[in-house]
Amino acid sequence: MSSSTNESESLFGSRRLDEQSPAAPTRVDFAPTGEPLPRQSPPASEARAETTPPRTSAGSAGNGRGHRYDVDVMRVLAGLTVMVGHSGGVLIGRAEEGSDAWWLGHLAEAVNPWAVPMFFMIAGWAVLAGAPPRTEAKMWDRIVRHLVPLGAWSIIFVLGFNLFDSDEVNVRHDLVRSLLEAGRPGFHLWYLYAYIPLILVFGTLVLFWKGLRPWRLAALALVLAGSTVWAPFVLEALGSEQTAWKWGFATYQVVYFVIGAFVIHHAAELRPPLWSLCLLFAVSALGVLWWESRKSYPIENANPLIVGLALSVILIVSRLRLGNRSKRVFTRLASASFGAFLVHVFFLELFFEQLFDVEAGPALLVVQYLGLLAAMAAASYALSFAWGRLRLRRILG
């Protein structure tokens, strides 16, 4: 028990416990080499929790105390891979079936589907193993730190897209809908409607297991448990045209959450040959390419092919041995990944919907794609770093 507590304290400080977004594109305010980053002084009662144990060796993939730099890498890769997949999806939607641009989009999509399930896997590791909540107040803080950016960006996307595409965005309707589900234009926010209930339920279980009594969290969990019944009833009684309600999680998300916690936590002990992991990723990606181009697009997140992609990424990344400079780079990028993920859809619309020429030749298609993808990622991270320096992370992610 003490080892788990020490590990938790090394990963999350008292005020920073939930600044990290365990779901994926993250927020991490950890110093990469033991040098403290600027932060507010914690209350005296929480001063001990701010003490950081010694760092682990390069890579930090083990289960000992210390910052998990490999998890930083997973978060950054997952966030960037979402951008790869979303841009590929735009090409598929815009290009004629069977064209070069259509196949380029499918190639991008083939290596993408593991990213969102990885959000749930990292969330499971953080809540169940890497940084389990210590108090009910901390669990509430973690929920709020994801709920506020969800609300803020739901509003920003509806208002922002309304300025450029008023025929497609019904401000009043879409703002109300954002209380119930994710949809255009903030379609990528959907995972937070499952993620928040997931950490609520499992965080409550962890606190009960520790002998605490988080009754308010348990009450909210019960309210959500019956929401698929009472929410449509209330909407109908109010005469609303809204019918969807997506606050909840599916079986596959729970499985990713739990299995991800185990695999990430024990990654250093799970060491199949590297060639077998590369082969697993390649075969799974080819399977996704066939599935999406011949059977069903987009592929379902519960598809077993995605499990192969996700597990191979975790176990390959866990073997990385990072130098101090690489650690600083990935920790820095991880601190802005959640925000970059949230804002990237604006640049997706600009670069791939408006500027990308789907009629170009094969070579120019690839050059366009790589250039615009890099521009989207750079712009998204630049904005995220900017509002981070303005101390707006709690609002904008």
Side-chain angles (χ1 to χ4, degrees), residues 43-79:
S45 61
E46 295 181 338
R48 191 177 70 84
E50 288 291 332
T51 303
T52 304
R55 302 288 178 185
T56 58
S57 60
S60 296
N63 298 328
R65 299 187 303 176
H67 184 56
R68 288 288 297 270
Y69 294 101
D70 60 319
V71 176
D72 281 347
V73 176
M74 293 176 205
R75 290 180 169 119
V76 173
L77 289 180

Side-chain angles (χ1 to χ4, degrees), residues 143 193-194 196-198 200-201 217-231 245-249:
I143 291 169
Y193 290 79
I196 292 173
L198 266 174
L200 165 65
V201 171
L217 289 172
L220 178 57
L222 286 173
V223 170
L224 279 178
S227 62
T228 55
V229 175
W230 63 256
W245 178 263
K246 296 296 177 64
W247 285 97
F249 45 82

Side-chain angles (χ1 to χ4, degrees), residues 73-156:
V73 176
M74 293 176 205
R75 290 180 169 119
V76 173
L77 289 180
L80 292 174
T81 304
V82 166
M83 297 184 194
V84 171
H86 285 168
S87 56
V90 172
L91 299 189
I92 293 171
R94 290 186 56 205
E96 183 180 351
E97 183 174 352
S99 67
D100 292 334
W102 187 82
W103 277 111
L104 178 59
H106 272 295
L107 287 172
E109 280 276 18
V111 298
N112 158 74
W114 63 270
V116 172
M118 183 69 75
F119 296 173
F120 295 109
M121 289 180 161
I122 296 175
W125 168 78
V127 172
L128 301 178
R134 298 189 300 271
T135 65
E136 183 176 9
K138 289 299 178 184
M139 198 61 238
W140 279 109
D141 192 45
R142 180 174 296 189
I143 291 169
V144 169
R145 284 177 181 272
H146 293 86
L147 188 61
V148 171
L150 170 59
W153 282 102
S154 296
I155 295 171
I156 290 171

Side-chain angles (χ1 to χ4, degrees), residues 256 280 284 288 291 299-311:
Y256 283 142
L280 175 61
S284 299
V288 172
W291 189 282
I299 193 170
E300 301 82 356
N301 283 320
N303 193 299
L305 290 168
I306 297 177
V307 178
L309 290 172
L311 293 183

Side-chain angles (χ1 to χ4, degrees), residues 197-262:
L198 266 174
I199 64 168
L200 165 65
V201 171
F202 281 92
T204 303
L205 287 174
V206 168
L207 292 172
F208 274 124
W209 182 261
K210 289 183 174 183
L212 302 177
R213 297 294 180 264
W215 299 122
R216 291 182 301 159
L217 289 172
L220 178 57
L222 286 173
V223 170
L224 279 178
S227 62
T228 55
V229 175
W230 63 256
F233 176 80
V234 171
L235 291 171
E236 183 180 0
L238 293 175
S240 172
E241 297 179 358
Q242 305 281 355
T243 57
W245 178 263
K246 296 296 177 64
W247 285 97
F249 45 82
T251 302
Y252 82 87
Q253 293 162 351
V254 176
V255 172
Y256 283 142
F257 193 91
V258 175
I259 297 301
F262 176 84

